[in-house]
Coordinates of all heavy atoms in Angstrom, one line a residue:
M1 N 3.4 -11.2 80.8 CA 2.3 -11.9 80.2 C 1.4 -10.9 79.6 O 0.9 -10.0 80.2 CB 1.6 -12.7 81.2 CG 0.4 -13.4 80.7 SD -0.3 -14.5 82.0 CE -2.0 -14.1 81.8
T4 N 2.6 -8.3 74.7 CA 2.8 -8.3 73.2 C 2.0 -9.4 72.6 O 1.6 -10.4 73.2 CB 4.3 -8.6 72.9 OG1 4.7 -9.9 73.3 CG2 5.3 -7.5 73.4
Q11 N -5.1 -17.2 63.5 CA -4.5 -18.5 63.4 C -5.5 -19.4 62.7 O -6.6 -19.6 63.2 CB -4.1 -19.0 64.8 CG -3.0 -18.3 65.4 CD -2.7 -18.8 66.8 OE1 -3.2 -19.7 67.3 NE2 -1.7 -18.2 67.4
H19 N -17.6 -30.0 66.4 CA -18.7 -30.5 67.3 C -19.0 -32.0 67.0 O -19.2 -32.8 68.0 CB -20.0 -29.7 66.8 CG -20.0 -28.3 67.4 ND1 -19.5 -27.3 66.6 CD2 -20.3 -27.7 68.5 CE1 -19.7 -26.2 67.3 NE2 -20.2 -26.4 68.5
K29 N -16.7 -42.7 74.9 CA -16.1 -42.9 76.3 C -17.3 -43.0 77.3 O -17.2 -43.7 78.3 CB -15.2 -41.7 76.6 CG -14.5 -41.8 77.9 CD -13.4 -40.8 78.0 CE -12.6 -40.9 79.3 NZ -11.6 -40.0 79.4
M33 N -24.2 -40.7 78.1 CA -24.5 -39.3 77.8 C -25.6 -39.2 76.8 O -26.3 -38.1 76.8 CB -23.3 -38.6 77.3 CG -22.2 -38.5 78.3 SD -22.6 -37.3 79.6 CE -22.5 -35.8 78.7
Y42 N -38.0 -29.0 81.1 CA -38.2 -27.9 82.1 C -38.1 -26.5 81.4 O -38.6 -25.6 82.0 CB -37.3 -28.0 83.3 CG -37.4 -29.3 84.0 CD1 -36.4 -30.3 83.9 CD2 -38.5 -29.6 84.7 CE1 -36.5 -31.5 84.6 CE2 -38.7 -30.9 85.4 CZ -37.7 -31.7 85.3 OH -37.7 -33.0 85.9
P67 N -26.6 3.8 93.8 CA -25.5 2.7 93.8 C -26.0 1.3 93.9 O -25.5 0.4 93.3 CB -24.6 3.1 95.0 CG -25.0 4.5 95.3 CD -26.4 4.8 94.9
E90 N -30.1 -22.6 73.2 CA -30.6 -23.9 73.3 C -32.0 -24.0 72.4 O -32.2 -25.0 71.7 CB -30.9 -24.4 74.7 CG -29.7 -24.4 75.5 CD -28.6 -25.2 75.0 OE1 -28.8 -26.4 74.7 OE2 -27.5 -24.8 74.9
F107 N -41.9 -19.5 69.5 CA -42.6 -18.7 70.4 C -41.8 -18.5 71.7 O -41.7 -17.4 72.2 CB -44.0 -19.2 70.6 CG -44.8 -18.5 71.7 CD1 -45.3 -17.3 71.4 CD2 -45.0 -19.0 72.9 CE1 -46.0 -16.6 72.4 CE2 -45.6 -18.4 74.0 CZ -46.2 -17.1 73.6
I108 N -41.4 -19.6 72.3 CA -40.6 -19.5 73.6 C -39.3 -18.8 73.4 O -38.9 -18.1 74.4 CB -40.4 -21.0 74.2 CG1 -40.1 -20.8 75.7 CG2 -39.3 -21.7 73.6 CD1 -41.4 -20.5 76.5
I114 N -37.8 -11.1 75.4 CA -38.5 -9.9 75.9 C -37.6 -9.0 76.8 O -37.5 -7.8 76.4 CB -39.8 -10.3 76.6 CG1 -40.9 -10.8 75.6 CG2 -40.4 -9.1 77.4 CD1 -42.1 -11.5 76.3
P119 N -34.5 -7.4 69.6 CA -35.1 -8.5 69.0 C -34.0 -9.4 68.2 O -33.6 -9.0 67.2 CB -36.1 -7.9 68.0 CG -35.6 -6.5 67.8 CD -34.8 -6.1 69.0
H128 N -26.9 -18.8 63.8 CA -26.2 -19.8 64.6 C -26.2 -21.2 63.9 O -25.2 -21.9 64.0 CB -26.9 -20.0 66.0 CG -26.2 -20.9 66.9 ND1 -24.9 -20.7 67.4 CD2 -26.6 -22.1 67.4 CE1 -24.6 -21.7 68.1 NE2 -25.5 -22.6 68.2
D141 N -19.3 -17.8 58.6 CA -19.4 -18.1 60.1 C -19.3 -16.7 60.8 O -18.1 -16.2 60.9 CB -18.4 -19.1 60.5 CG -18.5 -19.4 62.0 OD1 -19.4 -18.8 62.6 OD2 -17.7 -20.2 62.4
Q166 N -17.5 -7.1 73.0 CA -17.9 -8.4 72.3 C -19.4 -8.5 72.0 O -19.7 -8.9 70.9 CB -17.2 -9.6 72.9 CG -17.1 -10.8 71.9 CD -18.4 -11.6 71.7 OE1 -19.2 -11.7 72.6 NE2 -18.4 -12.3 70.6

Side-chain angles (χ1 to χ4, degrees):
M1 177 173 131
T4 62
Q11 294 180 359
H19 288 95
K29 191 171 182 179
M33 293 292 288
Y42 302 108
E90 299 305 308
F107 175 74
I108 200 75
I114 290 170
H128 184 66
D141 181 0
Q166 200 276 336

